[in-house]
PDB file of all heavy atoms in Angstrom:
ATOM      1  N   GLY A  58     -11.979  -4.093 -14.810  1.00 98.00           N
ATOM      2  CA  GLY A  58     -12.655  -2.843 -15.187  1.00 98.00           C
ATOM      3  C   GLY A  58     -12.444  -1.736 -14.160  1.00 98.00           C
ATOM      4  O   GLY A  58     -12.186  -1.990 -12.979  1.00 98.00           O
ATOM      5  N   ILE A  59     -12.550  -0.500 -14.659  1.00 98.00           N
ATOM      6  CA  ILE A  59     -12.578   0.675 -13.776  1.00 98.00           C
ATOM      7  C   ILE A  59     -13.845   1.443 -14.146  1.00 98.00           C
ATOM      8  O   ILE A  59     -14.016   1.823 -15.303  1.00 98.00           O
ATOM      9  CB  ILE A  59     -11.343   1.579 -14.002  1.00 98.00           C
ATOM     10  CG1 ILE A  59     -10.049   0.801 -13.774  1.00 98.00           C
ATOM     11  CG2 ILE A  59     -11.403   2.808 -13.090  1.00 98.00           C
ATOM     12  CD1 ILE A  59      -8.785   1.624 -13.970  1.00 98.00           C
ATOM     13  N   GLU A  60     -14.719   1.634 -13.172  1.00 97.00           N
ATOM     14  CA  GLU A  60     -16.015   2.266 -13.480  1.00 97.00           C
ATOM     15  C   GLU A  60     -16.402   3.268 -12.410  1.00 97.00           C
ATOM     16  O   GLU A  60     -16.123   3.046 -11.221  1.00 97.00           O
ATOM     17  CB  GLU A  60     -17.128   1.209 -13.481  1.00 97.00           C
ATOM     18  CG  GLU A  60     -17.078   0.252 -14.641  1.00 97.00           C
ATOM     19  CD  GLU A  60     -17.808  -1.045 -14.316  1.00 97.00           C
ATOM     20  OE1 GLU A  60     -18.599  -1.071 -13.332  1.00 97.00           O
ATOM     21  OE2 GLU A  60     -17.566  -2.018 -15.025  1.00 97.00           O
ATOM     22  N   ALA A  61     -17.096   4.325 -12.832  1.00 96.00           N
ATOM     23  CA  ALA A  61     -17.676   5.260 -11.866  1.00 96.00           C
ATOM     24  C   ALA A  61     -18.795   4.528 -11.129  1.00 96.00           C
ATOM     25  O   ALA A  61     -19.553   3.764 -11.739  1.00 96.00           O
ATOM     26  CB  ALA A  61     -18.218   6.482 -12.580  1.00 96.00           C
ATOM     27  N   THR A  62     -18.902   4.744  -9.816  1.00 97.00           N
ATOM     28  CA  THR A  62     -20.002   4.134  -9.064  1.00 97.00           C
ATOM     29  C   THR A  62     -21.216   5.060  -9.121  1.00 97.00           C
ATOM     30  O   THR A  62     -21.093   6.236  -9.479  1.00 97.00           O
ATOM     31  CB  THR A  62     -19.602   3.903  -7.584  1.00 97.00           C
ATOM     32  OG1 THR A  62     -19.215   5.157  -7.025  1.00 97.00           O
ATOM     33  CG2 THR A  62     -18.451   2.932  -7.475  1.00 97.00           C
ATOM     34  N   ARG A  63     -22.373   4.542  -8.746  1.00 97.00           N
ATOM     35  CA  ARG A  63     -23.609   5.327  -8.845  1.00 97.00           C
ATOM     36  C   ARG A  63     -23.545   6.619  -8.024  1.00 97.00           C
ATOM     37  O   ARG A  63     -24.103   7.636  -8.380  1.00 97.00           O
ATOM     38  CB  ARG A  63     -24.786   4.487  -8.361  1.00 97.00           C
ATOM     39  CG  ARG A  63     -25.640   4.043  -9.534  1.00 97.00           C
ATOM     40  CD  ARG A  63     -26.905   3.409  -9.033  1.00 97.00           C
ATOM     41  NE  ARG A  63     -26.845   1.985  -9.349  1.00 97.00           N
ATOM     42  CZ  ARG A  63     -27.522   1.051  -8.722  1.00 97.00           C
ATOM     43  NH1 ARG A  63     -28.298   1.357  -7.727  1.00 97.00           N
ATOM     44  NH2 ARG A  63     -27.425  -0.191  -9.092  1.00 97.00           N
ATOM     45  N   ASP A  64     -22.822   6.574  -6.894  1.00 96.00           N
ATOM     46  CA  ASP A  64     -22.755   7.768  -6.049  1.00 96.00           C
ATOM     47  C   ASP A  64     -21.603   8.706  -6.439  1.00 96.00           C
ATOM     48  O   ASP A  64     -21.324   9.675  -5.732  1.00 96.00           O
ATOM     49  CB  ASP A  64     -22.648   7.380  -4.567  1.00 96.00           C
ATOM     50  CG  ASP A  64     -21.397   6.558  -4.270  1.00 96.00           C
ATOM     51  OD1 ASP A  64     -20.600   6.313  -5.190  1.00 96.00           O
ATOM     52  OD2 ASP A  64     -21.206   6.172  -3.105  1.00 96.00           O
ATOM     53  N   GLY A  65     -20.896   8.393  -7.539  1.00 95.00           N
ATOM     54  CA  GLY A  65     -19.843   9.296  -7.994  1.00 95.00           C
ATOM     55  C   GLY A  65     -18.442   8.911  -7.546  1.00 95.00           C
ATOM     56  O   GLY A  65     -17.487   9.665  -7.747  1.00 95.00           O
ATOM     57  N   GLY A  66     -18.304   7.744  -6.935  1.00 97.00           N
ATOM     58  CA  GLY A  66     -16.971   7.249  -6.579  1.00 97.00           C
ATOM     59  C   GLY A  66     -16.379   6.442  -7.732  1.00 97.00           C
ATOM     60  O   GLY A  66     -16.810   6.582  -8.886  1.00 97.00           O
ATOM     61  N   LEU A  67     -15.414   5.600  -7.418  1.00 98.00           N
ATOM     62  CA  LEU A  67     -14.746   4.821  -8.465  1.00 98.00           C
ATOM     63  C   LEU A  67     -14.569   3.381  -7.982  1.00 98.00           C
ATOM     64  O   LEU A  67     -14.170   3.144  -6.835  1.00 98.00           O
ATOM     65  CB  LEU A  67     -13.370   5.443  -8.751  1.00 98.00           C
ATOM     66  CG  LEU A  67     -12.727   5.126 -10.105  1.00 98.00           C
ATOM     67  CD1 LEU A  67     -13.570   5.669 -11.256  1.00 98.00           C
ATOM     68  CD2 LEU A  67     -11.317   5.722 -10.178  1.00 98.00           C
ATOM     69  N   SER A  68     -14.877   2.451  -8.877  1.00 98.00           N
ATOM     70  CA  SER A  68     -14.686   1.038  -8.574  1.00 98.00           C
ATOM     71  C   SER A  68     -13.554   0.517  -9.466  1.00 98.00           C
ATOM     72  O   SER A  68     -13.589   0.686 -10.682  1.00 98.00           O
ATOM     73  CB  SER A  68     -15.987   0.282  -8.855  1.00 98.00           C
ATOM     74  OG  SER A  68     -15.740  -1.099  -8.841  1.00 98.00           O
ATOM     75  N   ILE A  69     -12.567  -0.111  -8.852  1.00 98.00           N
ATOM     76  CA  ILE A  69     -11.371  -0.565  -9.586  1.00 98.00           C
ATOM     77  C   ILE A  69     -11.243  -2.070  -9.388  1.00 98.00           C
ATOM     78  O   ILE A  69     -11.160  -2.550  -8.243  1.00 98.00           O
ATOM     79  CB  ILE A  69     -10.109   0.140  -9.030  1.00 98.00           C
ATOM     80  CG1 ILE A  69     -10.263   1.657  -9.076  1.00 98.00           C
ATOM     81  CG2 ILE A  69      -8.866  -0.299  -9.798  1.00 98.00           C
ATOM     82  CD1 ILE A  69      -9.284   2.403  -8.184  1.00 98.00           C
ATOM     83  N   GLY A  70     -11.214  -2.819 -10.463  1.00 98.00           N
ATOM     84  CA  GLY A  70     -11.117  -4.281 -10.364  1.00 98.00           C
ATOM     85  C   GLY A  70      -9.737  -4.718  -9.902  1.00 98.00           C
ATOM     86  O   GLY A  70      -8.732  -4.029 -10.128  1.00 98.00           O
ATOM     87  N   ALA A  71      -9.695  -5.896  -9.278  1.00 98.00           N
ATOM     88  CA  ALA A  71      -8.439  -6.372  -8.673  1.00 98.00           C
ATOM     89  C   ALA A  71      -7.373  -6.716  -9.695  1.00 98.00           C
ATOM     90  O   ALA A  71      -6.182  -6.691  -9.387  1.00 98.00           O
ATOM     91  CB  ALA A  71      -8.720  -7.595  -7.806  1.00 98.00           C
TER      92      ALA A  71
END
Side-chain angles (χ1 to χ4, degrees):
I59 302 180
E60 289 158 16
T62 57
R63 253 189 249 157
D64 61 2
L67 201 63
S68 168
I69 304 162

